[in-house]
Amino acid sequence: MGPCGRGWARCGGPRLPGALWALALGRALPRARCGLWALGGGGPAAQPARGLRGSNPFTRGQEEEWRRRNRTALTYIAAAAVGMVGMSYAAVPLYRLYCQATGLGGTTGAGGGSARIESMEPVQERVVKVTFNADVHASIHWNFRPQQTEIYVVPGETALAFYKAKNPTDKPVIGISTYNVVPFEAGQYFNKIQCFCFEEQRLNPQEEVDMPVFFYIDPEFAEDPKMAKVDLITLSYTFFEAKEGHKLPLPGYQ
Amino acid sequence: MSTAMNFGSKSFKPRPPDKGAFPLDHFGECSAFKEQFLECLRQSGSESSACRPRAMAYLQCRMERQLMANEPLEKLGFKDLIDEKSEAKPEEL
């Protein structure tokens, strides 16, 4: 009789032309529907199988075309979304590169260099007072202090200052220091030519040494409107004990 | 090193010195020059410009005793002092 068996008979009259068309096109009979009819459940509420649901074979080709184009558009949109997410991640290092190349963004990182020191002119009108501060970490028992409380410098002129450190213990101690400049915005103009920071310094028992700092304030300090009210800069050094295998975050300096 | 809680602002980034670190003067070879420099500072009211010749002398002492990389003093910002010296010398001769 038919693949549906008894259900085929139930499918009834209205089903017949569809089935005939299906047979004519060589397609599979809509068995799912017949089966559900046979079960008596589902019925019109049953969803047809996914895929070609168009009952009209003339529009089937067009619907396929639409689906294909939808899929292409969806692929493009998804690619654009992923691309935007990737761009937002890539923007950070790219911006940093751009700032370094063009010097914008405020942080004029590698502004030093002996050519600069040689050619810079002191700005005699702006006298800046530099005070010195010395700290030690609790675990290191050095006596560390500056040898002058303050010094008056002008931008564009190199200056020398001294700290003194004494190791009162009976064991050699290796210390390493870092510094801080207050106010923070002035820190970018504060250039150290040579000092004693970021390198391990070893003091033998009961030894006392002088530690010089050779620095200058960049002449552009005088031209920065944000620095117009700044006439006091505080340079603060802190010593830590350098322990074995303890890596301090040094700023890219070997 | 910044302990402020403001995430938006930039934090202080310490920069390494241009020419590295001074080797420690364990034997105090240049202490005399240092004392002269500090004495000058005290007398001039902590004015750095007035004591630059003595600062230059201290750095020269370090260079002679291998406590500092040898470098022409013009590159360390003492060009005007060198020019004065070289002007003074031909006059003496």
Side-chain angles (χ1 to χ4, degrees), chain A:
Chain A
M1 290 269 299
C4 279
R6 267 189 69 203
W8 172 247
R10 293 247 187 178
C11 286
R15 293 269 140 240
L16 209 50
L20 277 176
W21 272 113
L23 276 173
L25 289 169
R27 299 268 167 99
L29 287 170
R31 279 170 57 183
R33 278 203 209 125
C34 281
L36 285 166
W37 274 105
L39 284 171
Q47 291 299 319
R50 276 193 90 203
L52 299 174
R53 19 188 288 208
S55 49
N56 189 349
F58 292 113
T59 60
R60 207 164 283 155
Q62 198 178 29
E63 278 169 14
E64 269 183 41
E65 173 73 24
W66 286 342
R67 273 202 198 93
R68 193 175 54 74
R69 278 158 61 178
N70 282 351
R71 221 170 292 149
T72 317
L74 204 62
T75 314
Y76 276 123
I77 291 173
V82 168
M84 279 188 209
V85 170
M87 280 288 291
S88 62
Y89 274 105
V92 172
L94 284 177
Y95 183 66
R96 214 174 280 152
L97 278 173
Y98 168 72
C99 278
Q100 273 182 9
T102 59
L104 300 175
T107 49
T108 53
S114 46
R116 174 128 188 93
I117 302 173
E118 210 175 324
S119 60
M120 67 183 181
E121 291 292 329
V123 180
Q124 300 288 357
E125 306 86 48
R126 284 293 298 275
V127 180
V128 177
K129 180 166 142 174
V130 180
T131 52
F132 300 93
N133 186 31
D135 277 319
V136 290
H137 189 250
S139 62
I140 190 172
H141 299 291
W142 283 6
N143 298 336
F144 178 56
R145 54 189 170 79
Q147 294 194 49
Q148 65 284 305
T149 45
E150 68 215 5
I151 191 170
Y152 291 91
V153 300
V154 293
E157 210 173 58
T158 53
L160 189 61
F162 286 92
Y163 282 79
K164 187 188 280 277
K166 180 179 163 89
N167 178 10
T169 65
D170 298 323
K171 291 196 291 288
V173 177
I174 301 177
I176 191 164
S177 68
T178 182
Y179 76 100
N180 200 352
V181 175
V182 175
F184 157 71
E185 293 87 5
Q188 57 177 331
Y189 295 106
F190 191 91
N191 298 315
K192 296 190 311 312
I193 301 171
Q194 204 159 359
C195 70
F196 52 90
C197 43
F198 305 124
E199 248 193 33
E200 295 183 351
Q201 311 286 358
R202 180 197 165 99
L203 277 188
N204 292 320
Q206 306 296 326
E207 191 179 0
E208 185 172 31
V209 286
D210 302 315
M211 292 176 161
V213 182
F214 192 44
F215 65 93
Y216 68 95
I217 298 179
D218 201 294
E220 286 187 2
F221 174 87
E223 288 157 30
D224 189 344
K226 282 190 282 196
M227 299 284 123
K229 294 230 175 61
V230 173
D231 51 5
L232 173 65
I233 293 182
T234 303
L235 175 64
S236 178
Y237 274 92
T238 307
F239 255 101
F240 300 86
E241 181 162 7
K243 296 200 180 68
E244 302 292 322
H246 185 69
K247 278 258 179 240
L248 287 178
L250 305 179
Y253 169 56
Q254 45 93 13

Side-chain angles (χ1 to χ4, degrees), chain B residues 28-79:
Chain B
E29 291 159 11
C30 295
S31 298
F33 291 90
K34 179 210 74 167
E35 286 301 333
Q36 282 179 0
F37 173 73
L38 290 177
E39 183 63 36
C40 165
L41 273 190
R42 260 171 253 144
Q43 283 171 355
S44 69
S46 303
E47 201 187 312
S48 163
S49 313
C51 302
R52 286 176 67 229
R54 301 219 182 169
M56 193 170 78
Y58 176 78
L59 292 177
Q60 273 173 319
C61 163
R62 275 207 162 231
M63 281 194 236
E64 281 160 24
R65 286 163 183 71
Q66 306 297 321
L67 291 171
M68 184 173 163
N70 250 328
E71 202 148 336
L73 289 164
E74 292 90 6
K75 291 224 164 67
L76 297 172
F78 293 116
K79 194 162 92 155

